[in-house]
Amino acid sequence: MSMVFLLFSLELILFLAGLYGLFIYETTFQLSIFLSLLIISIVLFALTVYRYQRQKGRKSTNDCWDCGIYMPDCLPSSGVGKKSLDCDSFDCGPDCTP
């Protein structure tokens, strides 16, 4: 996740440098350098967003492989001094024994 923020920072720096250069260029060589900075920053931005969306989509396809961590189906009882329920279920069902 921190790599995304580093890439966005780099993209913003490149974009601002290219934009600033478009206002102060004097030769066609400088113009080509600043335009290439703008194009690189836009392409890098698009690739970062695409890669992040692809990685995010890959993580969300995980279908309850460990229900004890993600969806506990046995909660402790609310009474004082009562024994809390333990869960013996491995299939995300309500198999709770007191």
Side-chain angles (χ1 to χ4, degrees):
M1 188 69 157
S2 64
M3 183 62 101
V4 173
F5 295 118
L6 290 174
L7 285 173
F8 281 143
S9 299
L10 177 66
E11 294 155 9
L12 186 61
I13 290 169
L14 289 175
F15 184 77
L16 291 176
L19 197 61
Y20 177 72
L22 287 180
F23 290 109
I24 63 165
Y25 77 94
E26 294 177 2
T27 64
T28 56
F29 180 69
Q30 288 176 340
L31 177 64
S32 64
I33 289 175
F34 295 130
L35 282 176
S36 65
L37 284 177
L38 280 174
I39 292 170
I40 289 171
S41 69
I42 292 170
V43 169
L44 193 59
F45 177 78
L47 288 175
T48 302
V49 170
Y50 173 73
R51 183 175 175 198
Y52 178 73
Q53 290 295 327
R54 185 174 162 203
Q55 187 178 24
K56 184 179 171 186
R58 196 174 335 145
K59 284 184 181 180
S60 68
T61 60
N62 198 1
D63 295 331
C64 188
W65 63 272
D66 190 3
C67 300
I69 294 172
Y70 296 109
M71 289 186 285
D73 56 345
C74 301
L75 300 174
S77 60
S78 61
V80 177
K82 289 185 178 179
K83 184 179 175 184
S84 63
L85 300 175
D86 59 346
C87 192
D88 298 327
S89 173
F90 293 107
D91 62 347
C92 299
D95 276 350
C96 298
T97 58

